[in-house]
Amino acid sequence: MSIEIGFNQVVKKFGDQAVIPDLSINVEKGEFFTLLGPSGCGKTTLLRMVAGFNSIEGGEITFDDRVINTVKPDKRNIGMVFQNYAIFPHLSVKKNIAFGLENRKTPKAEIEKRVNDILKIVQIEQYKDRLPENLSGGQQQRVALARAIVINPDVLLMDEPLSNLDAKLRIDLRNAIRKIQKEIGITTIYVTHDQEEAMAVSDRIAVMKDGYIQHAGTPQNIYHRPSNLFVSTFIGRSNIIDGVMTRSGDHVEVSLFDTYKTSFTNIQKEYLPTAKTAIKMSVRPEEFIFTTDQDGIEGTVQRSSFLGLNTNYFIELKNGEMIEVVQESNIDSLIPEGQTVYLKLNTKKVNIYSEDGAVNFTEGVQNDAEPVPEARKGVNGIAI
Ligand code: ATP
């Protein structure tokens, strides 16, 4: 039942503007695949192309071996869930869910069975006779999900389904969506601009910017080994520090702020420097380690925020740069503002990029996206 979705050099134009210039990626059978990116990057446009609501100006979208470019939306066997629920206000929960099956002239007894099964899976059995106006936003979205999957679609498409819900409900429902998706094993494309949500639900995430996939990979790979500086700063928080990289025997030495030197053994062979090379290092706040060694990076605590499990410190370095450091909170000690501190790096976890931010030199980047063409790279080397 579950199918593979192929995007093969897909182009979307609105007038002269190529919103998606050239996109290729495969979504595997049963995969939970998320399109993530800032507003206007083309996520919804791409999803609507899969649904058949947007035309395709170039390339092919395939369901298994079948090209679906010109197949009508109602012939694609797709279930969809939108941000605004889009359930019928005048129909009970049960009738809302049965609607698609009745349209397909499914026999009554089968409708009854399938609706009852889905009511259980989506955990809204007790509301089956209610009208949508008597349900919370989260319950309405469960109805929308039930209605989308009851027809046994080949593909489930979801566009920001949790955006209208409050924070706690969002977490409850995203866990439910993930569980149900795995239970029924349906190939799913999910659109969000919320990176935490994307990481919580996805098998793979495609981080998009300006119509290009910048990095397609597992949440872990995207977080730990972002393909470029855009991805590094879009997913989670990162301190970006200028440095210089030199080769020293079989390892690479990176010098930061002219004073702090540290060595790396995990630079990809093809990027090992032959001469002094300017780089950008990206360090997540949790990858700084406080040290008593005075040969660490020196700074002064300017501000701290206690967040329960962790404490965030904003530290001014000697050159005036501010960095953010996160440490697990101690029960009895908060580093006071004004105190001089020394920091080291968790070198295994930091990433080293080309000076323009376009290439991650560090080993371990697993990017399933096609490289952004040279001609489409912007001033900082990242797709424009
Ligand atoms: P958001 O998170 O804000 O929904 P998005 O990543 O889903 O953003 P899209 O809605 O896909 O972005 O829009 C991508 C680009 O295409 C934007 O520049 C948008 O203005 C443009 N666009 C979308 N639909 C049309 C249209 N029907 N006509 C012209 N331009 C459009």
Side-chain angles (χ1 to χ4, degrees):
M1 185 192 91
S2 171
I3 58 142
E4 179 179 327
I5 305 171
F7 297 88
N8 186 8
Q9 301 190 303
V10 166
V11 179
K12 176 68 214 163
K13 288 185 179 164
F14 289 115
D16 289 343
Q17 196 202 357
V19 171
I20 297 181
D22 178 3
L23 187 141
S24 298
I25 193 89
N26 278 343
V27 179
E28 290 164 22
K29 282 186 205 300
E31 186 173 27
F32 199 124
F33 189 85
T34 296
L35 303 173
L36 172 70
S39 184
C41 71
K43 310 178 290 286
T44 296
T45 300
L46 194 61
L47 196 80
R48 288 173 58 85
M49 289 165 88
V50 180
F53 302 149
N54 275 345
S55 59
I56 301 171
E57 273 63 56
E60 283 178 347
I61 299 180
T62 53
F63 286 0
D64 286 337
D65 296 331
R66 191 163 67 111
V67 177
I68 51 110
N69 286 25
T70 55
V71 176
K72 295 242 158 23
D74 59 338
K75 298 280 179 277
R76 295 189 184 196
N77 199 25
I78 277 171
M80 285 202 78
V81 183
F82 303 96
Q83 180 175 343
N84 59 2
Y85 319 139
I87 50 180
F88 302 117
H90 61 289
L91 296 183
S92 69
V93 166
K94 219 173 153 179
K95 291 215 163 104
N96 256 289
I97 299 172
F99 185 83
L101 295 173
E102 280 165 2
N103 254 355
R104 293 175 178 214
K105 312 264 181 282
T106 310
K108 266 213 155 85
E110 193 184 335
I111 294 181
E112 184 72 16
K113 180 178 180 322
R114 274 163 68 176
V115 171
N116 283 332
D117 287 350
I118 293 288
L119 281 165
K120 278 196 202 107
I121 291 176
V122 183
Q123 295 180 342
I124 45 172
E125 247 183 320
Q126 64 271 47
Y127 311 119
K128 63 177 191 266
D129 297 318
R130 282 199 197 171
L131 287 174
E133 64 188 8
N134 299 324
L135 297 175
S136 70
Q139 290 158 352
Q140 289 188 49
Q141 203 53 316
R142 283 177 190 259
V143 177
L145 179 63
R147 204 183 52 177
I149 58 182
V150 77
I151 56 167
N152 283 341
D154 291 329
V155 175
L156 179 62
L157 303 178
M158 290 194 262
D159 193 353
E160 306 262 8
L162 307 181
S163 301
N164 284 345
L165 305 176
D166 68 42
K168 183 173 176 314
L169 256 183
R170 275 211 301 272
I171 294 177
D172 288 350
L173 201 53
R174 83 184 183 204
N175 291 338
I177 287 174
R178 168 77 189 180
K179 185 165 166 276
I180 292 163
Q181 189 269 346
K182 282 294 155 219
E183 260 170 38
I184 59 176
I186 185 169
T187 312
T188 299
I189 304 185
Y190 187 94
V191 164
T192 181
H193 61 266
D194 180 331
Q195 43 120 350
E196 187 188 300
E197 187 176 303
M199 290 205 273
V201 295
S202 313
D203 293 314
R204 242 177 351 144
I205 300 173
V207 181
M208 290 181 70
K209 180 173 182 289
D210 301 316
Y212 284 101
I213 299 179
Q214 306 281 331
H215 191 162
T218 61
Q220 294 82 350
N221 196 255
I222 283 179
Y223 186 81
H224 289 301
R225 292 287 177 237
S227 64
N228 62 36
L229 264 193
F230 165 74
V231 179
S232 167
T233 48
F234 187 75
I235 303 277
R237 303 177 68 79
S238 289
N239 297 285
I240 309 300
I241 302 169
D242 287 312
V244 173
M245 167 168 92
T246 46
R247 185 147 180 194
S248 168
D250 60 352
H251 64 273
V252 161
E253 198 161 72
V254 173
S255 132
L256 304 173
F257 315 112
D258 293 330
T259 52
Y260 181 74
K261 284 197 172 58
T262 183
S263 68
F264 289 84
T265 52
N266 62 346
I267 301 297
Q268 296 178 54
K269 277 205 178 67
E270 62 182 300
Y271 298 119
L272 286 172
T274 47
K276 267 192 174 182
T277 306
I279 56 107
K280 288 228 165 22
M281 183 184 279
S282 122
V283 187
R284 297 213 181 271
E286 67 271 23
E287 289 157 7
F288 282 109
I289 303 159
F290 286 110
T291 170
T292 47
D293 284 354
Q294 300 206 349
D295 60 357
I297 302 166
E298 186 178 334
T300 309
V301 175
Q302 291 296 329
R303 198 157 50 82
S304 59
S305 357
F306 172 73
L307 301 173
L309 177 63
N310 293 320
T311 303
N312 279 21
Y313 293 101
F314 296 89
I315 294 174
E316 185 173 351
L317 305 180
K318 280 179 94 178
N319 67 356
E321 266 179 56
M322 286 290 275
I323 57 164
E324 184 184 348
V325 178
V326 173
Q327 298 286 299
E328 196 175 323
S329 306
N330 285 331
I331 202 147
D332 50 4
S333 62
L334 193 73
I335 304 172
E337 287 170 13
Q339 177 155 326
T340 300
V341 289
Y342 297 92
L343 297 161
K344 284 190 166 175
L345 303 172
N346 182 351
T347 51
K348 285 211 175 77
K349 287 207 165 169
V350 305
N351 287 280
I352 297 174
Y353 295 91
S354 53
E355 194 185 13
D356 64 7
V359 182
N360 188 344
F361 292 157
T362 321
E363 284 174 352
V365 179
Q366 282 161 9
N367 185 3
D368 302 329
E370 298 286 318
V372 177
E374 284 301 319
R376 298 291 304 205
K377 285 184 176 172
V379 277
N380 56 1
I382 298 162
I384 49 167

